[in-house]
Amino acid sequence: MAFFHKFNFAVILLGLLQQFAQVNALVNQRTAAIDPKLAELDRFIRVSNPSDVDVQEEIKKLMLTISESRKGDQRKSLLGKWELIFTTEKEVNFFKTSWPFADVSCIIQDLDLYESQTINNSINFETGGRFVVTGTAKAVDGDSDFDRVEFKFTDAAIRAWDRTIKVPPVGAGWFDTMYCDDSYRLSRDVRGDWSVFRRQ
């Protein structure tokens, strides 16, 4: 019987290792298929501490290098859902690293500039709760070389334990799209914060 228990454990372990290898291969295939600088940026974000000032500066340098390859107005490419994978915004990083009540599972931004003209930000927690901020967004002319989007938040709520608690929405301003393709989006905003998103 002990032999069969060990054998079953070995089979389960082998299966888990194979699943891990398959997931890792898919990640490597995705990063290999994109621009080498974007692949480097993705790997750097995954293995580094994004709150480290030196790390932030290196990521900014990579973002600027990648932005040199952008072509034309990219704002129509912003349509859809994006997962925030890096930001210098202190308030967001507080939720990711220091929020005492629950760990953040993901942060999603949903954009539609030309039909509904909406922006929806959602901080999702592993416990199932969400902090959701919604508002308006539209393409506008800016004073930089990048494509500007103006936004204004109009509603905010905490959704947890089958309840919705309305809180005052805070925030209005703009962000510039430094680069956008089918997989990644790089931006910086009116407050000087830099962010990297991965398409959902």
Side-chain angles (χ1 to χ4, degrees):
M1 293 296 292
F3 170 78
F4 286 106
H5 283 306
K6 291 179 180 178
F7 177 76
N8 289 336
F9 175 76
V11 170
I12 292 171
L13 180 61
L14 180 61
L16 290 172
L17 289 173
Q18 288 175 336
Q19 289 179 13
F20 175 79
Q22 290 171 354
V23 171
N24 192 52
L26 286 174
V27 171
N28 289 335
Q29 286 175 7
R30 183 180 67 182
T31 55
I34 63 177
D35 182 275
K37 286 294 181 183
L38 281 167
E40 180 183 356
L41 177 64
D42 185 279
R43 285 192 294 267
F44 195 61
I45 290 172
R46 282 191 281 126
V47 302
S48 303
N49 175 10
S51 299
D52 186 286
V53 175
D54 291 334
V55 169
Q56 291 183 0
E57 291 305 312
E58 288 301 315
I59 290 175
K60 288 180 184 180
K61 290 178 184 177
L62 272 171
M63 290 173 68
L64 283 172
T65 300
I66 293 166
S67 72
E68 294 173 359
S69 64
R70 60 186 291 275
K71 297 178 180 178
D73 191 331
Q74 299 185 312
R75 283 172 292 194
K76 288 187 177 180
S77 300
L78 301 184
L79 177 66
K81 292 184 178 180
W82 299 86
E83 180 181 1
L84 179 69
I85 60 173
F86 166 81
T87 185
T88 61
E89 187 175 339
K90 292 181 180 179
E91 293 85 353
V92 173
N93 284 328
F94 169 78
F95 276 107
K96 294 179 70 175
T97 61
S98 304
W99 183 249
F101 304 109
D103 291 332
V104 172
S105 59
C106 63
I107 299 175
I108 304 297
Q109 184 175 85
D110 193 351
L111 280 171
D112 184 349
L113 302 183
Y114 295 100
E115 292 190 13
S116 62
Q117 292 191 322
T118 54
I119 179 172
N120 298 298
N121 293 340
S122 178
I123 300 177
N124 303 296
F125 299 97
E126 291 184 355
T127 53
R130 294 191 297 157
F131 175 53
V132 181
V133 181
T134 61
T136 60
K138 61 181 180 179
V140 296
D141 294 330
D143 56 3
S144 76
D145 294 332
F146 302 121
D147 306 323
R148 182 156 298 181
V149 172
E150 189 176 79
F151 65 86
K152 181 179 182 181
F153 294 125
T154 57
D155 187 66
I158 298 171
R159 297 172 184 171
W161 302 293
D162 296 323
R163 294 184 179 182
T164 298
I165 303 170
K166 294 284 187 176
V167 295
V170 178
W174 52 260
F175 64 83
D176 286 339
T177 298
M178 303 170 63
Y179 177 87
C180 182
D181 64 12
D182 292 338
S183 301
Y184 294 91
R185 185 180 119 221
L186 317 181
S187 67
R188 62 184 185 190
D189 64 29
V190 62
R191 300 199 311 173
D193 287 316
W194 300 54
S195 300
V196 179
F197 296 83
R198 184 188 295 124
R199 193 181 291 276
Q200 285 282 284

